[in-house]
Amino acid sequence: MRHFLLSAGLVLLSSTAYTQTSDKYTIVQQESGPTLGYSPQSGVKILTVDGLKFKDLNRNGKLDKYEDWRLPVEERAKDLAKKMSVEQIAGLMLYSVHQAVPSNEKGFAAGTYNGKPFSQSGAKPWDLSDAQKKFLKDDNLRHVLLTAVQSPEVAARWNNEMQAYVEAIGLGIPANNSSDPRHSGQVAGSTKAEFNAGAGGDISVWPDELGMAATFDPALVKKFGHIAAQEYRALGIATALSPQIDLATEPRWYRSGMTFGEGPELSTDMARAYVDGFQTSEGKAEIADGWGYQSVNAMIKHWPSGGPEEGGRDAHFGFGKFAVYPGNNFEMHLRPFTEGGLHLDGKTSKASAVMPYYTISYNRAPDGSNVGNGFSKYLITDLLRGKYHYDGVVCTDWLITGDEGVTPGDFAGKPWGMEDKTVAERHYQVLMAGVDQFGGNNVMGPILEAYQMGIKEHGKAFMRNRFEQSAVRLLKNIFRVGLFENPYLDPQASAKLVGNPDFMQAGYDAQLKSIVMLKNKQHVMPVKERKTVYIPPIYTPSVKNWWGEWSKPRLQVPVNLELVKKYYDVTDDPTKADFAIVFINGPYTNNDGGGYSKDDRKAGGNGYLPITLQYGTYTATDAREHSIAAGDPVVDPTIKDRTYRGKTVTASNTMDLNTVLSTKDMMGDKPVIVVLNASRGFIVSEFEGKIDGLLVRYSVGEQAVLDIISGKHEPSGLLPMQVPENMSTVEKQYEDVPFDMQCHKDTEGHVYNYAYGLNWEGVIKDARTAKYGIKK
């Protein structure tokens, strides 16, 4: 009896050898070994040794150790690394810039096909672009970062095209495709986030990481990892550039929404559960040591934590290059890594890869050097590999070897601490720091230059050994998930698996569990009766993205009213409504996280501004008189202090506050419920006293919110970050210390502290709050 399993490439066994050929690949099933997949056009043949089948990937007519699936992964990887040229290893060290399927004609993944713009070339959606063929063949690149894909079927077909293409090159090394998180919903009512838009609307939708944290349920996160890994493999993705396990101890940092919050213990348990869920294969899917055909390599990030950004500014930009530790709390930020992602319960033992953040971990190195984490020998070799015994892959964050922009506010390369070095010198510094891979680099030339630099300093034998060391680490991650045996997918099976009803329901259940009820004055919720509701339109301002482009402002109702009508009658006249629901976002400033103004710099200031968590105009009277760190030696060497004390800013979405207050005025004594979509810290003191109910969601859809308001489900979420009383306490807290702010106290006497939340009966006190709540 033959067992046909879904497209993630599970072991398929049969009582006799069986061969099946599609348009691009041939599948060989065997009784006592793994299913093999290969492309007849690649020149690869099947060898029979001892009655077993093997792929002759280098087409030499004999079974090499790396082709022998019976051998341990370590032995196979070492054999292959020795056979690789320096150029092939350099290509293996590359990690592509973002790629879309089909290829885009603008942005990171700009592409042509046979020299013509992709959409005008007659290419099929899954065809490889000219640029993709070039970096796969000419630069030997084998790690591809996928963003948007048109559909699961198209993703599977593109995967097959690419795997057949690289199988015909050199030693037949398959590609290891990756993805940023792609399962969460997005702000402002969308059901898809930037990266999960590629699932063609079919992928299961879950809360973002901060929403997962709000469940305070590691078992749920492990379940998510197991489901997401199956969907990833069905899309041809074998590495997850996640989880992000920085501690969100700085509430202004815009990437807090991608973390598990500010609690060290919860973040540690969530990190462990996430990685176990993604990496572990069981049953027939397991190859060895927990790894197998349902496994996805997890790349935990960002070592040693990007959380304590000074002033909350983000290190994608020069204005946010410094992580600071005024509370001397460096060791706590390591715990989600050392006790979580690198200390698993499952058999895979530890995350297969680690990504350092862009930041300079200011004054942490004993020798006094201040360079970006990916350049730091102390942080990578001495600490991560030495003290914590990690020998997996370390991959830089994207574009750290590129040149920075003209000002600290430009989105360009992020060579922090190495700004005055050449691109090749930065590559060499990364290699000598103990890093294996270069994120966002498609071209192997600078790596080869770095290799020659190493020969001059250390000799050829040393550099060859150093390259092979990284090659073995990188190859092990490809071997362990079964890609050398069968990297091909059944497109129809992929379409059936991704976003199947069971997965969608599991994601929706998690959305419900992530919603936090902060206020429920006089039990205004649940609203079970079919009443009439007023939902005001929201003004979305024009904001600037990373590339300096401004969006168009718009005024619109922030929810699908047809959805709302399934629960309540809807009116656009507040006088006719029984109650109102106001959907708003947490305060934000542009899409770069805020904190810098080119106009301020041109006017003679230092360019640095406050990041506000309140909606109304804010003046930073309590900010530091002098910044802890500063320094832009190339683009702005005269600025020695990044303080923004006394400067004034207003949140981009300040009109959200006006909408809440005006809605309350129009509703009079009738209830007003606010639904706040949070992606980092936020302040509610400007409006909380005027409203009756307050729910917080973390990038989940409106249906889940309405199911809570209507009483179909009871709220159970808890705050994964403190809600500060005001901006004064935000300014006075330490960037590296959790739980150190004065929290908001509402009209009902409830304090919005970490792990606080309400259900229908009142303040939640259960096993989760006992384990993870703040210990007094």
Side-chain angles (χ1 to χ4, degrees):
M1 178 179 179
R2 301 185 184 102
H3 301 274
F4 293 92
L5 299 176
L6 291 176
S7 64
L10 302 182
V11 180
L12 306 179
L13 303 179
S14 64
S15 58
T16 58
Y18 176 79
T19 301
Q20 181 180 8
T21 301
S22 75
D23 58 342
K24 280 294 177 183
Y25 60 93
T26 295
I27 296 296
V28 179
Q29 302 174 49
Q30 53 187 327
E31 183 175 2
S32 300
T35 293
L36 306 180
Y38 70 101
S39 169
Q41 289 75 39
S42 70
V44 168
K45 305 294 184 184
I46 296 297
L47 302 172
T48 302
V49 178
D50 299 329
L52 302 173
K53 306 296 183 182
F54 304 87
K55 292 165 66 174
D56 185 14
L57 288 166
N58 61 2
R59 300 168 291 280
N60 66 354
K62 66 179 183 178
L63 181 63
D64 295 284
K65 286 184 177 181
Y66 85 92
E67 299 164 336
D68 190 343
W69 44 259
R70 298 170 298 182
L71 296 177
V73 163
E74 184 87 18
E75 187 174 352
R76 297 179 72 184
K78 287 182 177 179
D79 177 68
L80 179 52
K82 290 186 181 300
K83 289 177 167 61
M84 296 175 72
S85 66
V86 170
E87 290 77 11
Q88 288 170 326
I89 295 176
L92 196 65
M93 290 176 169
L94 298 173
Y95 224 128
S96 81
V97 297
H98 302 64
Q99 301 295 309
V101 179
S103 182
N104 290 337
E105 293 166 19
K106 295 181 179 179
F108 279 132
T112 59
Y113 182 79
N114 291 336
K116 298 179 181 179
F118 207 85
S119 63
Q120 303 171 26
S121 65
K124 295 181 288 293
W126 50 83
D127 282 333
L128 301 179
S129 70
D130 296 335
Q132 290 165 352
K133 289 180 179 179
K134 183 180 186 303
F135 65 59
L136 290 168
K137 184 176 182 180
D138 296 350
D139 292 285
N140 299 304
L141 186 148
R142 291 297 180 272
H143 292 82
V144 180
L145 174 57
L146 287 178
T147 55
V149 297
Q150 188 176 93
S151 70
E153 183 175 353
V154 168
R157 290 184 181 278
W158 181 86
N159 170 82
N160 294 345
E161 289 281 339
M162 182 184 57
Q163 298 292 7
Y165 185 77
V166 298
E167 192 174 77
I169 300 171
L171 295 163
I173 298 172
N176 182 358
N177 301 326
S178 70
S179 174
D180 278 301
R182 60 195 304 119
H183 281 83
S184 74
Q186 192 181 12
V187 298
S190 171
T191 58
K192 293 293 165 189
E194 175 185 359
F195 298 120
N196 73 20
D202 291 333
I203 202 165
S204 59
V205 181
W206 299 68
D208 60 19
E209 277 195 31
L210 197 57
M212 291 289 201
T215 71
F216 279 65
D217 186 357
L220 184 149
V221 170
K222 185 175 181 180
K223 180 180 181 179
F224 159 71
H226 180 65
I227 288 174
Q230 294 176 69
E231 293 187 310
Y232 272 29
R233 291 304 298 266
L235 295 171
I237 296 166
T239 294
L241 302 187
S242 57
Q244 185 179 322
I245 57 177
D246 316 80
L247 287 181
T249 51
E250 169 45 66
R252 293 166 289 189
W253 187 36
Y254 93 100
R255 296 198 74 178
S256 296
M258 306 168 198
T259 74
F260 289 122
E262 66 179 303
E265 187 173 359
L266 178 64
S267 294
T268 298
D269 287 352
M270 291 294 203
R272 186 185 307 112
Y274 190 109
V275 178
D276 267 333
F278 265 86
Q279 291 191 168
T280 302
S281 290
E282 297 175 339
K284 293 180 180 179
E286 183 179 1
I287 298 172
D289 301 321
W291 291 101
Y293 302 104
Q294 284 186 346
S295 297
V296 170
N297 295 287
M299 184 180 293
I300 55 176
K301 58 187 185 183
H302 304 89
W303 177 264
S305 181
E309 300 265 13
E310 184 166 20
R313 299 182 296 269
D314 182 64
H316 278 86
F317 301 86
F319 60 69
K321 67 176 69 173
F322 295 106
V324 296
Y325 296 86
N328 198 29
N329 212 27
F330 180 76
E331 295 294 331
M332 177 180 283
H333 284 260
L334 302 183
R335 285 182 55 193
F337 296 89
T338 60
E339 300 175 27
L342 301 181
H343 190 74
L344 304 180
D345 293 330
K347 291 194 291 184
T348 64
S349 176
K350 61 188 67 175
S352 67
V354 174
M355 181 188 293
Y357 202 39
Y358 300 117
T359 44
I360 296 170
S361 296
Y362 192 64
N363 286 348
R364 293 300 102 186
D367 65 0
S369 60
N370 278 306
V371 294
N373 300 325
F375 299 112
S376 173
K377 180 179 179 294
Y378 166 70
L379 291 176
I380 306 303
T381 294
D382 298 348
L383 198 60
L384 179 60
R385 297 204 186 281
K387 182 176 180 179
Y388 295 109
H389 311 293
Y390 184 69
D391 194 38
V393 168
V394 177
C395 176
T396 74
D397 213 330
W398 263 232
L399 302 177
I400 76 164
T401 55
D403 291 329
E404 64 182 322
V406 177
T407 79
D410 291 333
F411 185 80
K414 302 116 178 49
W416 313 142
M418 300 285 290
E419 294 93 340
D420 58 349
K421 305 299 182 182
T422 67
V423 170
E425 287 170 338
R426 294 171 195 147
H427 280 76
Y428 182 57
Q429 177 77 13
V430 167
L431 289 170
M432 293 301 100
V435 176
D436 305 296
Q437 199 165 28
F438 299 87
N441 292 23
N442 284 11
V443 180
M444 68 179 176
I447 300 178
L448 298 178
E449 289 185 64
Y451 182 79
Q452 293 301 321
M453 293 177 186
I455 289 176
K456 289 182 181 179
E457 183 172 357
H458 298 289
K460 188 173 183 179
F462 175 91
M463 285 307 294
R464 175 70 201 191
N465 181 70
R466 174 67 190 85
F467 265 44
E468 285 189 22
Q469 183 183 48
S470 286
V472 169
R473 291 172 181 150
L474 291 161
L475 289 168
K476 285 165 66 175
N477 288 355
I478 307 177
F479 278 114
R480 287 190 292 212
V481 297
L483 290 175
F484 273 89
E485 276 56 70
N486 182 21
Y488 297 98
L489 302 173
D490 176 347
Q492 284 71 42
S494 291
K496 183 177 179 181
L497 183 143
V498 176
N500 69 63
D502 289 342
F503 291 177
M504 295 295 284
Q505 185 62 53
Y508 187 71
D509 290 343
Q511 292 184 50
L512 291 167
K513 293 177 181 179
S514 72
I515 295 172
V516 184
M517 184 165 69
L518 297 183
K519 185 175 184 179
N520 195 22
K521 184 178 180 180
Q522 297 180 350
H523 298 285
V524 65
M525 292 178 281
V527 184
K528 294 183 177 181
E529 302 86 355
R530 187 171 183 85
K531 294 186 175 182
T532 300
V533 65
Y534 169 65
I535 300 177
I538 291 292
Y539 174 74
T540 302
S542 175
V543 293
K544 183 177 62 174
N545 66 17
W546 283 3
W547 298 275
E549 300 167 336
W550 289 87
S551 64
K552 293 182 179 179
R554 62 186 187 274
L555 179 68
Q556 63 184 25
V557 176
V559 60
N560 183 341
L561 293 181
E562 294 305 311
L563 172 64
V564 180
K565 289 175 183 178
K566 294 180 180 180
Y567 298 81
Y568 307 110
D569 296 325
V570 178
T571 180
D572 59 4
D573 184 351
T575 65
K576 297 179 180 179
D578 297 307
F579 73 108
I581 305 174
V582 186
F583 290 88
I584 63 173
N585 288 311
Y588 62 87
T589 306
N590 291 326
N591 287 331
D592 59 7
Y596 187 83
S597 167
K598 296 178 183 179
D599 291 337
D600 179 85
R601 186 69 185 98
K602 290 177 181 177
N606 64 2
Y608 291 87
L609 298 178
I611 296 175
T612 182
L613 299 183
Q614 69 182 43
Y615 294 92
T617 299
Y618 166 63
T619 300
T621 56
D622 292 324
R624 290 190 182 103
E625 186 175 357
H626 300 288
S627 64
I628 294 174
D632 294 294
V634 174
V635 300
D636 208 351
T638 63
I639 300 302
K640 306 298 184 183
D641 194 332
R642 295 182 165 202
T643 184
Y644 50 82
R645 190 172 187 175
K647 292 184 178 180
T648 299
V649 294
T650 302
S652 296
N653 61 326
T654 186
M655 289 299 293
D656 282 5
L657 174 62
N658 293 347
T659 301
V660 172
L661 297 179
S662 62
T663 298
K664 182 57 182 177
D665 286 343
M666 290 185 291
M667 292 296 294
D669 294 333
K670 293 181 289 188
V672 173
I673 299 168
V674 170
V675 179
L676 188 151
N677 197 1
S679 59
R680 56 178 165 187
F682 55 88
I683 289 171
V684 298
S685 57
E686 296 161 290
F687 66 83
E688 178 274 318
K690 305 286 187 180
I691 65 172
D692 303 277
L694 178 57
L695 296 175
V696 177
R697 59 170 171 158
Y698 300 92
S699 298
V700 301
E702 286 76 20
Q703 183 178 347
V705 172
L706 292 168
D707 274 352
I708 296 292
I709 293 175
S710 66
K712 187 174 181 180
H713 291 276
E714 184 172 17
S716 61
L718 304 170
L719 282 173
M721 296 176 67
Q722 292 182 314
V723 176
E725 176 61 28
N726 50 45
M727 281 303 298
S728 177
T729 191
V730 173
E731 296 289 4
K732 294 173 182 177
Q733 58 90 33
Y734 285 163
E735 286 92 337
D736 60 326
V737 177
F739 317 141
D740 63 340
M741 293 189 293
Q742 182 70 34
C743 295
H744 179 76
K745 185 175 182 179
D746 71 13
T747 59
E748 309 306 293
H750 297 140
V751 178
Y752 295 177
N753 210 336
Y754 181 81
Y756 162 78
L758 297 172
N759 57 23
W760 300 142
E761 296 179 357
V763 177
I764 297 173
K765 294 187 182 299
D766 57 17
R768 299 173 300 161
T769 59
K771 181 174 184 179
Y772 296 114
I774 299 173
K775 307 299 189 293
K776 296 181 180 180

